[in-house]
Amino acid sequence: MQTSHALSTVQQTLPGWVAARSGMFGLSLRRAGGGRGRLRAHFSTPPSWYHLLNLKKVDKSMGETPNKISYLKPLKSLEPDSLLKILKTSIVHADGTLVAINKSCGIPVSGKPEELTLQSVLPQLSQNLNLPQTLEVVKAPEKEGSGLVLLSSCPKTTLYLQDFYSQRKKKKQPVATYCAVTTRTPVATEGEVHTGLKLVEIDGLNVAVPVDSPSRKSLQNKEARKTLSYYKVLDSKEGCALLQLQPVTTFRNQMLVHLTLIQSPVLGDHVYSSRVGAVFGEPFLLPAVDTPPRTQILEEHVMQKLRLRPQVMSRLQLHLHLHQLLLPDGCCSSRTLLVAPLPPFFLQTLRSLGLNLPPASSKQ
């Protein structure tokens, strides 16, 4: 009886406790039809966002060859020649000195000199594309994420792009748009997450943890940084959601941490999802510094829809995709917005979970 009473008390107090914790980390949320937060993110979705997906063709191929689409990371490591071939077939834009690649999950952009990374094969890729100088990375998602990698073979163009992105950041204007599938639906349909972040070592891994009020000294020493992301729910069903994310700042695993703070971990997040617990179905935040990374745990109905077994959960790919990237006017002769179609496994997940991209008629 005492145990039941204690659990009941926890369940009753969770909503208020969670709200208090959210306030500590500077979350500004906006419910459908409700009040506004401190800032309002402006989301735009150009026609190419949906036209390039060609959903009918993708759905048809899925029905015919479902076994060729896997949610899981490959077991075999890539060889340099294989990686180079993948990058060449993943080019979504090439115009003069600018090249954009739709990177697959699990490919690291940079690393140690002896490691196989995207940067390590850029000299060969530049030669294959007959470029006068070696390509440099301007923008890219992190290793576990997928999506656009913007490359430049001209130092002046690289500096021009970096200055453009820096000016946008100062004005709190995002340049990148991500898509994410989350294992919970945020309380508010759109809003912002802003908090300080710093890196700490937990179980031998450097992970990002939120800092309530970073000191001026820690900010000056770059021990901590202020971070900001906008988000918007595009669709939700039975607890899962499709989100559009626009980070204003850049910090390691920023969006993964931000989404745990609104208790909506990314599907396939095996580092930060453990920070969101639940009692009687009510989510709550666990202390970040006391919660080690672990393989993500999904609810049974999600496992069934994705046809996943617990034994392979650690190989579930991260459903976070860098989908759009702005370019400054005059930088590219053909466009000011780069788009990387969602990976087949991502689209298969949307289909399995019953999540839909907004219809073309609702674009702004």
Side-chain angles (χ1 to χ4, degrees):
M1 293 293 293
Q2 292 179 348
T3 302
S4 300
H5 175 71
L7 288 174
S8 176
T9 302
V10 171
Q11 187 180 20
Q12 292 173 5
T13 57
L14 271 177
W17 183 82
V18 170
R21 295 284 293 180
S22 299
M24 289 171 61
F25 294 115
L27 309 186
S28 298
L29 311 175
R30 183 175 185 272
R31 297 175 183 270
R36 297 183 179 179
R38 288 189 286 276
L39 285 177
R40 177 79 180 278
H42 298 283
F43 295 87
S44 60
T45 310
S48 57
W49 208 91
Y50 301 103
H51 287 243
L52 288 183
L53 292 180
N54 201 359
L55 291 178
K56 292 183 179 180
K57 181 178 180 181
V58 171
D59 283 342
K60 182 178 179 181
S61 66
M62 289 175 182
E64 293 174 352
T65 56
N67 294 330
K68 292 186 178 181
I69 297 175
S70 176
Y71 304 110
L72 307 180
K73 303 172 186 176
L75 290 172
K76 295 182 179 180
S77 300
L78 284 173
E79 297 293 333
D81 290 343
S82 299
L83 176 56
L84 186 61
K85 183 178 180 180
I86 289 174
L87 296 180
K88 288 172 64 177
T89 58
S90 302
I91 293 175
V92 294
H93 174 79
D95 182 10
T97 60
L98 286 183
V99 176
I101 293 173
N102 192 0
K103 184 183 84 70
S104 301
C105 292
I107 297 178
V109 175
S110 60
K112 297 178 181 178
E114 66 274 13
E115 294 177 342
L116 179 62
T117 64
L118 187 148
Q119 281 188 336
S120 69
V121 297
L122 285 183
Q124 296 95 313
L125 180 62
S126 303
Q127 289 180 1
N128 290 345
L129 297 177
N130 296 318
L131 295 173
Q133 298 186 63
T134 301
L135 288 162
E136 295 180 272
V137 177
V138 181
K139 283 282 186 182
E142 297 183 72
K143 174 184 175 180
E144 298 304 328
S146 61
L148 279 167
V149 177
L150 179 60
L151 306 168
S152 168
S153 64
C154 174
K156 290 184 178 180
T157 301
T158 301
L159 290 175
Y160 179 57
L161 287 165
Q162 290 173 343
D163 181 66
F164 170 71
Y165 293 140
S166 177
Q167 293 301 318
R168 296 275 301 190
K169 179 181 177 180
K170 290 179 181 179
K171 298 177 183 178
K172 295 185 177 181
Q173 297 174 337
V175 297
T177 299
Y178 287 74
C179 289
V181 175
T182 61
T183 60
R184 291 185 180 275
T185 304
V187 174
T189 57
E190 63 181 277
E192 64 178 44
V193 184
H194 60 94
T195 183
L197 289 179
K198 67 177 182 179
L199 294 176
V200 301
E201 185 176 326
I202 301 178
D203 281 6
L205 295 175
N206 283 327
V207 296
V209 299
V211 182
D212 298 346
S213 301
S215 65
R216 180 178 299 180
K217 183 178 179 180
S218 67
L219 294 173
Q220 290 175 343
N221 295 336
K222 296 184 179 181
E223 297 171 355
R225 290 185 184 178
K226 294 181 179 180
T227 60
L228 170 65
S229 299
Y230 300 129
Y231 76 89
K232 182 179 182 180
V233 178
L234 299 178
D235 192 23
S236 62
K237 188 172 184 180
E238 298 182 12
C240 296
L242 170 64
L243 267 61
Q244 181 172 291
L245 304 167
Q246 292 183 313
V248 175
T249 55
T250 55
F251 193 88
R252 183 189 295 185
N253 300 148
Q254 172 179 314
M255 285 172 289
L256 298 182
V257 179
H258 283 184
L259 288 177
T260 61
L261 291 176
I262 59 173
Q263 299 150 25
S264 302
V266 177
L267 183 63
D269 175 7
H270 304 299
V271 178
Y272 301 98
S273 62
S274 56
R275 296 179 183 179
V276 181
V279 176
F280 299 122
E282 289 290 336
F284 65 95
L285 292 176
L286 294 165
V289 294
D290 298 326
T291 308
R294 69 159 186 251
T295 300
Q296 189 173 46
I297 298 175
L298 298 178
E299 294 187 17
E300 185 62 29
H301 76 279
V302 178
M303 296 281 286
Q304 291 177 354
K305 287 184 176 181
L306 297 179
R307 297 182 181 180
L308 290 173
R309 294 176 289 111
Q311 295 88 335
V312 299
M313 270 302 299
S314 62
R315 292 175 53 208
L316 180 64
Q317 299 191 83
L318 185 68
H319 287 62
L320 181 65
H321 181 75
L322 177 45
H323 193 34
Q324 296 179 356
L325 188 63
L326 287 177
L327 295 177
D329 292 335
C331 182
C332 177
S333 61
S334 59
R335 63 183 68 180
T336 58
L337 183 70
L338 297 176
V339 180
L342 296 172
F345 80 87
F346 198 116
L347 291 170
Q348 176 67 43
T349 295
L350 297 183
R351 184 169 177 242
S352 299
L353 297 178
L355 297 171
N356 298 300
L357 293 164
S361 58
S362 68
K363 297 191 296 291
Q364 297 179 353

